[in-house]
Amino acid sequence: MLLRAQDNPFYRLITLPIPEGIVLEGGGLTTLPSGDIALVTRHGDAWIVENPYMEGNQPPHYRRFASGLHEPLGLAWHDGTLWVTQRGELTRLWDKNGDGRADFYESVYRWPLTGNYHEYSYGPAVGPDGQLYVTANVGFFNPEWWRGQSEVPWRGWTLRISPSGEMEPYAAGMRSPNGYGFIDGEFFYADNQGDWMGSGGLVHLEKGDFAGHPASLRWAEHPQSPLQITQADIFAQVDPQLTPEGAPPFKPENDPDGAVLPLYELARELPGVKTPAVWLPHGVLGISTGQFLADTTEGAFGPFAGQVFVSDQGQSKISRIFLEKVDGVYQGASFGFFDGFASGAMRLSWGRDGSLFVAQTNRGWGSTGREPFALQRLVWTGKIPFEIQAVRAMPDGFELSFTRPVDKGTAADPASYALSSFIYKYHPVYGSPAVNLEEGQVRYAEVSRDGLKVRLVVDGLREGYIHELRAEGVRDYTDGQPPLHPTAYYTLNRRPQGDTLAIPAGARAAHHHHPAPAEAAPAPVPTPRPRPAGQLAKNQTTLPAHWTEGPDLTIRLSTKPGLQFDVQDMTVEAGTRIRLIFNNPDDMPHNFLLLRPGQADKVGKAALALGVKGMAMDYVPEMDEVLYHSKLLQPATNQTIYLEAPSEPGVYPYVCTYPGHYVSMRGVLRVK
């Protein structure tokens, strides 16, 4: 069940008004001891927002605290002052004369930059010992601009810095580590899909760990490096597909028939490789991971105390994670939580009342939320949603905890559940489809006396894999409704040891066929009608035989940064035979779909509902509303397709349906 933000009875979304002239593109956010909040913007300003709770029905007051910062993407309050991470520096902001404005910018520690656009830096996260942790992106350089590189120390690393400015490299293998922070005193980071990164995820990092992206290993043998892994170790296991010396640039592409090496298998061969504690399936629980934050509100934010909330900039949403330790290793389940923020959900901070502030931005990155920036506050209404509260691994299956008692009849029926598992490739290609998909079976379900827990005995557990567990058939005891978010994605890094559950004789067994993985069962879509002889295929890549005189018109269409087509309005005559050359010079995947009039939102949402199946389907849903489409183009690739303009005049939208793109990446074909 997907609730619109304005219709959610459990959490209320409040938008803070922003005065005209203030461009509040949130790069960092923290709550001050007074309860006010501090925020840094990508334009380089630091603001103090007073009365962010709008008490007394009064608007918040914005006070500029600092300016001239270099694209800061993190902020923390520590030891009586604000600390901010700029692109190349950890800076402490002092207000020494007490006038409410920073008058001394202390350079705590600087690291080198090349000037590359992608060399973002994030943080700091303040550790229990008072040390400050900063994470750094890799860069992307011509001519192989698709390959993340670490041209200067310490791109792709986490750095641990003392308040006095002493730095030690802590861990490596990051690509775009936008998420950073501490959970129960342990350091975690969150990355985004890209080269060498099949999907986003939450990773527990200890000193000397390697998280997967090999560019950072350029500095593995530096005297300060704590790593025991080198690039040669990685490339001995996985072909990096580097361009041969003297040859034209060669961009790696996914080989659907090639060997599959998941990251967890590499970790078995190379100690020190760290896999995600919890994967966030790409396109399902986000596309561009932002900040994560442990719930320390002791119940003021609802029935999820101690769990972790993760923002997603691209899909303008927040997901939820339940963590546990098995044999000393973190693992757990990820769930949907809240959709519908105004812009890209970037940074999170708890308010003094247990509400959640969300700083947002989408300039250059795009988001499903259409506003260029926003500051919003999410407040629990006091009503408890019916949700899967937690999923715990058991020797023979899983134990589900619910926020409210279940209907025991539906919860005890194995047919109320579906189980499947999958994983991602570890390779130098941008992202990965879900691979090695297998269906499991729920053999038995035992409900606790209070109706708050269900123990499942299953077949098909696989260590190292993501297990999609759907509980769509379970109903709430009180009102008969299904869980608000009925799907959990459990990352099984370790299978627990211990006693298994004895299945009583005559117990109900499942008698259903499990569907392939998806975020939720999408609404039925019509089966496409067969096309008459001579009618073009939806993805026609060869010149149609009956076009004896060739196309009437050639159109060249490209993507450009900021989730846009370079041409957004075209006019043709009805029936025009078109050769469309679609080029993707952007740094992320895109596709092209020509649709029936007025169907852009419907098709975009259907593409999102494809879930983990989406990449294998090029994020093109099978529905009559789609007239023609390209395949999903990876960066620096192109495809030529042939299409005929519809015979009926009208305005036909074209969109990119890669997750989160359809809201803003659009154009129209006007047929006369």
Side-chain angles (χ1 to χ4, degrees), residues 477-554:
Y477 173 78
T478 302
D479 59 17
Q481 293 296 311
L484 188 60
H485 298 92
T487 306
Y489 294 90
Y490 192 97
T491 303
L492 188 68
N493 290 323
R494 295 289 187 275
R495 185 169 178 171
Q497 302 298 310
D499 296 334
T500 58
L501 188 65
I503 300 178
R508 277 190 289 182
H511 297 288
H512 57 79
H513 178 75
H514 301 299
E519 155 69 345
V525 295
T527 301
R529 294 186 295 271
R531 296 204 157 201
Q535 189 170 350
L536 305 189
K538 291 188 176 185
N539 181 234
Q540 180 80 37
T541 59
T542 58
L543 183 71
H546 62 284
W547 288 18
T548 55
E549 297 183 5
D552 301 323
L553 177 67
T554 295

Side-chain angles (χ1 to χ4, degrees), residues 22-355:
I22 296 179
V23 180
L24 209 70
E25 296 179 335
L29 180 68
T30 192
T31 303
L32 303 177
S34 64
D36 294 337
I37 61 173
L39 184 146
V40 288
T41 74
R42 294 168 63 197
H43 277 231
D45 293 321
W47 294 90
I48 306 298
V49 184
E50 299 165 343
N51 191 29
Y53 311 93
M54 296 191 284
E55 294 171 337
N57 203 29
Q58 295 298 308
H61 177 259
Y62 293 78
R63 170 166 51 90
R64 194 193 309 267
F65 182 73
S67 59
L69 302 169
H70 188 186
E71 196 163 18
L73 291 176
L75 184 67
W77 175 265
H78 175 57
D79 197 21
T81 60
L82 288 170
W83 303 67
V84 59
T85 298
Q86 303 186 66
R87 271 194 174 242
E89 179 182 285
L90 175 62
T91 309
R92 189 174 188 179
L93 302 176
W94 293 87
D95 176 14
K96 294 199 170 186
N97 63 8
D99 67 351
R101 185 177 176 88
D103 48 34
F104 182 66
Y105 296 38
E106 178 187 353
S107 177
V108 179
Y109 182 78
R110 295 179 180 177
W111 47 88
L113 296 171
T114 68
N116 182 264
Y117 80 100
H118 203 261
E119 288 180 341
Y120 305 114
S121 301
Y122 313 98
V126 182
D129 58 357
Q131 301 290 296
L132 300 113
Y133 293 69
V134 170
T135 61
N137 266 31
V138 296
F140 290 86
F141 301 83
N142 290 326
E144 293 186 316
W145 58 266
W146 52 83
R147 192 185 308 280
Q149 299 181 56
S150 181
E151 291 295 299
V152 292
W154 297 89
R155 307 314 305 180
W157 285 71
T158 294
L159 308 180
R160 182 162 62 186
I161 304 169
S162 73
S164 60
E166 298 171 339
M167 186 279 292
E168 57 177 324
Y170 182 76
M174 285 111 253
R175 178 187 181 272
S176 189
N178 190 20
Y180 56 88
F182 282 83
I183 301 171
D184 294 333
E186 302 277 353
F187 183 72
F188 286 76
Y189 101 100
D191 218 315
N192 291 305
Q193 185 194 64
D195 57 319
W196 297 98
M197 298 288 176
S199 186
L202 182 69
V203 184
H204 173 225
L205 280 184
E206 299 172 284
K207 187 173 181 179
D209 279 346
F210 170 70
H213 200 290
S216 58
L217 295 179
R218 178 173 181 175
W219 315 106
E221 298 179 78
H222 189 283
Q224 288 183 279
S225 169
L227 268 69
Q228 302 300 314
I229 294 174
T230 67
Q231 272 192 352
D233 294 329
I234 301 298
F235 294 167
Q237 301 287 332
V238 186
D239 180 6
Q241 301 184 44
L242 300 174
T243 300
E245 187 173 352
F250 164 75
K251 182 178 179 298
E253 297 292 344
N254 179 52
D255 180 3
D257 301 318
V260 174
L261 178 72
L263 185 61
Y264 82 89
E265 288 189 5
L266 182 70
R268 290 175 177 174
E269 297 292 328
L270 296 175
V273 173
K274 185 61 71 73
T275 62
V278 176
W279 288 93
L280 295 165
H282 189 80
V284 179
L285 294 180
I287 58 173
S288 184
T289 313
Q291 188 66 54
F292 59 85
L293 199 61
D295 185 348
T296 57
T297 68
E298 299 181 343
F301 194 65
F304 307 111
Q307 297 193 19
V308 179
F309 294 95
V310 187
S311 68
D312 189 81
Q313 187 276 328
Q315 288 191 336
S316 304
K317 71 196 303 180
I318 290 179
S319 299
R320 175 171 60 90
I321 289 177
F322 166 78
L323 279 174
E324 64 175 344
K325 265 188 175 181
V326 176
D327 293 337
V329 176
Y330 280 103
Q331 58 188 41
S334 51
F335 312 81
F337 176 68
F338 192 92
D339 292 76
F341 290 98
S343 187
M346 183 72 167
R347 294 288 179 246
L348 308 175
S349 187
W350 295 115
R352 69 183 180 199
D353 61 349
S355 60

Side-chain angles (χ1 to χ4, degrees), residues 335-611:
F335 312 81
F337 176 68
F338 192 92
D339 292 76
F341 290 98
S343 187
M346 183 72 167
R347 294 288 179 246
L348 308 175
S349 187
W350 295 115
R352 69 183 180 199
D353 61 349
S355 60
L356 184 62
F357 287 98
V358 186
Q360 302 163 50
T361 175
N362 77 358
R363 173 174 55 89
W365 298 333
S367 65
T368 55
R370 301 187 185 191
E371 296 298 324
F373 53 86
L375 178 60
Q376 294 182 295
R377 177 170 160 247
L378 195 60
V379 182
W380 181 43
T381 65
K383 297 180 180 179
I384 296 178
F386 180 51
E387 293 273 34
I388 305 172
Q389 185 182 50
V391 178
R392 294 175 174 85
M394 295 290 158
D396 53 358
F398 297 102
E399 180 186 80
L400 279 62
S401 298
F402 290 85
T403 56
R404 300 201 308 236
V406 298
D407 167 69
K408 292 186 177 181
T410 56
D413 185 356
S416 293
Y417 309 89
L419 177 69
S420 56
S421 59
F422 62 95
I423 196 58
Y424 297 105
K425 292 182 179 181
Y426 178 63
H427 60 177
V429 178
Y430 192 105
S432 167
V435 296
N436 292 359
L437 278 73
E438 284 189 8
E439 296 177 0
Q441 184 181 40
V442 178
R443 296 174 53 216
Y444 176 65
E446 181 178 88
V447 185
S448 64
R449 293 183 64 182
D450 61 7
L452 291 173
K453 293 183 179 180
V454 180
R455 176 78 179 270
L456 301 179
V457 177
V458 310
D459 291 332
L461 292 180
R462 295 194 286 175
E463 273 197 2
Y465 277 70
I466 306 161
H467 293 71
E468 182 194 61
L469 180 60
R470 292 160 56 183
E472 292 162 350
V474 176
R475 294 294 181 264
D476 182 7
Y477 173 78
T478 302
D479 59 17
Q481 293 296 311
L484 188 60
H485 298 92
T487 306
Y489 294 90
Y490 192 97
T491 303
L492 188 68
N493 290 323
R494 295 289 187 275
R495 185 169 178 171
Q497 302 298 310
D499 296 334
T500 58
L501 188 65
I503 300 178
R508 277 190 289 182
H511 297 288
H512 57 79
H513 178 75
H514 301 299
E519 155 69 345
V525 295
T527 301
R529 294 186 295 271
R531 296 204 157 201
Q535 189 170 350
L536 305 189
K538 291 188 176 185
N539 181 234
Q540 180 80 37
T541 59
T542 58
L543 183 71
H546 62 284
W547 288 18
T548 55
E549 297 183 5
D552 301 323
L553 177 67
T554 295
I555 295 176
R556 297 181 183 274
L557 181 68
S558 291
T559 65
K560 64 180 186 178
L563 302 187
Q564 299 179 70
F565 293 107
D566 67 339
V567 179
Q568 298 173 13
D569 199 322
M570 298 184 282
T571 301
V572 298
E573 297 288 338
T576 300
R577 295 175 172 180
I578 300 170
R579 175 173 60 193
L580 176 70
I581 302 173
F582 181 42
N583 181 46
N584 181 24
D586 201 6
D587 61 358
M588 64 181 71
H590 295 293
N591 62 14
F592 164 89
L593 280 71
L594 181 66
L595 312 175
R596 296 188 186 278
Q599 300 302 309
D601 285 341
K602 180 179 180 180
V603 173
K605 291 175 182 177
L608 280 175
L610 294 174

